[in-house]
C-alpha cells in the first residue's frame, strides 16, 4: 500500500494513506448539504471542508494518544497511519504485557470522548457555522469513541478485549482469536446495517449506505489480518529463554546467548547462530542453564 510520510514524531513515521483523501472528499460532499440545511455560513462546502479537516485533526490526536502511551511504556512505534477508518498506530516491542496493551488501546477512545464532549460544550457559547461545525465534531467524536470501543479487532475495543482475555487466560493468541472473530461479526453487522440504510427515504441514503459499507469492508479486512498474523506474533511474543531453560549444564557444542532474550529477539539470536542447544548466560557472563532449540519449537507450536 502506498502513502505519504507527513512527519516523524517520537520516532514514529506519520503516514497518510490515499484512502484518507478519498474519504475526505466523500465526507465534504456528504456533509455540505447538511450544513446548508442548518443555515451554516455563506458557503456550505467551505464549512464542510473546515469540519472534515478538524475531524481529521481529532483522529490524529486520537492516534497521538496511542503513540504517547506506547512510548510511555518504552514500546517501539514505527508508524502512525491515517486512513479510511481513522487511523492505526503500529506498535512493536517485546516488553508488552496485557496491562500495557489495555492502557495503550483505551487512551485513543478516551481522547476522542474528551474531544467530543469539549466540542459539544463549545456549542453553548457559539452560533452560526462555528456552532454547526462544533456540534458535528462533538457528535462524530463521541461516535468514534463508541465505535472504536466495539470489542472486535482491529478496533481499540478489540485490543482491550484481547488484553483482558490475555490477562485472564495467560494466552495472547487466544485473545487475538476471540477479538478477531468478534471483529468479523461486527463487520457483517455493519454490512447488514448498510443494506438496511438503502431503504431510507432521502437523497443522501445511498451515500451514507456506501460509507457504512466501506467501513464494514475495512473492518473485515482488519479482523482477517489480525487473525492471520496476530496469532503467530502472539505465539512468538510468549517465548522467554529463561522460562524454557533446562537447569543442566549445556552440551559442549552449545552456542552462548543471553538468558534475558524473549520473543522476536530470541528467535533472531537463534537464527543468527543455528544450533541444537544454547548455553544461556546472565549479564555477568555466567552460564545459568541450557536452552534446546527443540524446546523453543515445541513452545511456539503449543502457545495459545
Ligand atoms: Zn484508536
Amino acid at each position: 500500500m502506498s502513502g505519504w510520510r507527513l512527519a516523524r514524531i517520537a520516532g514514529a513515521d506519520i503516514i497518510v494513506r490515499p484512502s484518507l483523501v478519498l474519504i475526505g472528499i466523500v465526507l465534504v460532499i456528504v456533509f455540505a448539504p447538511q450544513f446548508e440545511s442548518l443555515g451554516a455560513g455563506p458557503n456550505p462546502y467551505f464549512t464542510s471542508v473546515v469540519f472534515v479537516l478538524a475531524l481529521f485533526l481529532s483522529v490524529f490526536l486520537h492516534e497521538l494518544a496511542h503513540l504517547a502511551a506506547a512510548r510511555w511504556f518504552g514500546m517501539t512505534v514505527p508508524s502512525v497511519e491515517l486512513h479510511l477508518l481513522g487511523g492505526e498506530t503500529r506498535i512493536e516491542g517485546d516488553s508488552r504485557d496485557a496491562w500495557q496493551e489495555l492502557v495503550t488501546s483505551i487512551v485513543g477512545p478516551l481522547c476522542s470522548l474528551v474531544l467530543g464532549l469539549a466540542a459539544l460544550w463549545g456549542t453553548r457559547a457559539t452560533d452560526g457555522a462555528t456552532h454547526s461545525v462544533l456540534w458535528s465534531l462533538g457528535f462524530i467524536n463521541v461516535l468514534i469513541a463508541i465505535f472504536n470501543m466495539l470489542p472486535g479487532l482491529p478496533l481499540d475495543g478489540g485490543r482491550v478485549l484481547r488484553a483482558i482475555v490475555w490477562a485472564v487466560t495467560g494466552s495472547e493468541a487466544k485473545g487475538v482469536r476471540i477479538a478477531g472473530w468478534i471483529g468479523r461479526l461486527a463487520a457483517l453487522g455493519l454490512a447488514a446495517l448498510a443494506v438496511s440504510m438503502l431503504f431510507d427515504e432521502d437523497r443522501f441514503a445511498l451515500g451514507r449506505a456506501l460509507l457504512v459499507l466501506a467501513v464494514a469492508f475495512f473492518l473485515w479486512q482488519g479482523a482477517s489480518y489480525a487473525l492471520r498474523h496476530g496469532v503467530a506474533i502472539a505465539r512468538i511474543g510468549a517465548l522467554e529463554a529463561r522460562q524454557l531453560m533446562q537447569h543442566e549444564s549445556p552440551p559442549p557444542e552449545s552456542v552462548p546467548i543471553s538468558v534475558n532474550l524473549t520473543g522476536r529477539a530470541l528467535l533472531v539470536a537463534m537464527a543468527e547462530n543455528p544450533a541444537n542447544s544454547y548455553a544461556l548466560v546472565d549479564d555477568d557472563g555466567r552460564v545459568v542453564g541450557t536452552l534446546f532449540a527443540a524446546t523453543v519449537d515445541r513452545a511456539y507450536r503449543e502457545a495459545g
Side-chain angles (χ1 to χ4, degrees), residues 1-240:
M1 252 205 302
S2 58
W4 303 289
R5 209 183 91 169
L6 279 196
R8 204 172 158 81
I9 299 175
D13 286 328
I14 311 300
I15 296 168
V16 171
R17 293 291 180 210
S19 60
L20 187 76
V21 178
L22 187 73
I23 202 73
I25 294 167
V26 172
L27 285 174
V28 167
I29 294 168
V30 166
F31 276 90
Q34 314 220 355
F35 282 122
E36 190 172 26
S37 66
L38 288 169
N43 188 337
Y45 281 90
F46 177 76
T47 307
S48 197
V49 167
V50 170
F51 160 71
V52 170
L53 289 178
L55 177 63
F56 284 175
L57 180 67
S58 50
V59 168
F60 181 55
L61 290 174
H62 169 122
E63 296 306 319
L64 280 190
H66 289 309
L67 173 62
R71 295 296 298 153
W72 171 265
F73 289 122
M75 300 178 204
T76 309
V77 182
S79 66
V80 175
E81 286 179 20
L82 301 176
H83 51 55
L84 194 67
L85 256 195
E88 186 180 354
T89 302
R90 260 181 220 293
I91 297 166
E92 282 176 5
D94 291 327
S95 61
R96 298 178 313 142
D97 59 37
W99 166 247
Q100 295 180 355
E101 174 76 13
L102 192 138
V103 171
T104 308
S105 309
I106 215 165
V107 290
L110 279 180
C111 176
S112 294
L113 186 66
V114 168
L115 286 173
L117 294 179
L120 289 177
W121 188 76
T123 58
R124 304 194 313 174
T126 51
D127 54 16
T130 313
H131 179 90
S132 303
V133 167
L134 280 178
W135 195 90
S136 305
L137 262 185
F139 177 77
I140 294 237
N141 268 296
V142 171
L143 197 67
I144 286 174
I146 293 169
F147 176 70
N148 266 294
M149 279 312 288
L150 288 178
L153 285 172
L155 300 172
D156 293 322
R159 287 161 59 181
V160 169
L161 178 66
R162 174 174 65 186
I164 291 170
V165 174
W166 185 3
V168 171
T169 67
S171 164
E172 187 185 5
K174 203 169 279 170
V176 173
R177 275 200 204 92
I178 292 173
W181 274 103
I182 294 179
R184 281 185 162 178
L185 285 180
L188 291 178
L190 271 185
L193 180 68
V195 170
S196 77
M197 285 167 97
L198 284 174
F199 298 100
D200 287 355
E201 306 235 322
D202 68 89
R203 63 195 172 109
F204 312 120
L206 182 64
R208 272 202 310 265
L210 287 178
L211 203 64
V212 173
L213 197 63
V215 173
F217 177 72
F218 209 80
L219 195 56
W220 178 272
Q221 273 196 318
S224 302
Y225 181 88
L227 283 168
R228 271 200 307 277
H229 299 271
V231 174
I233 291 168
R235 284 176 166 190
I236 291 170
L239 299 174
E240 287 178 36

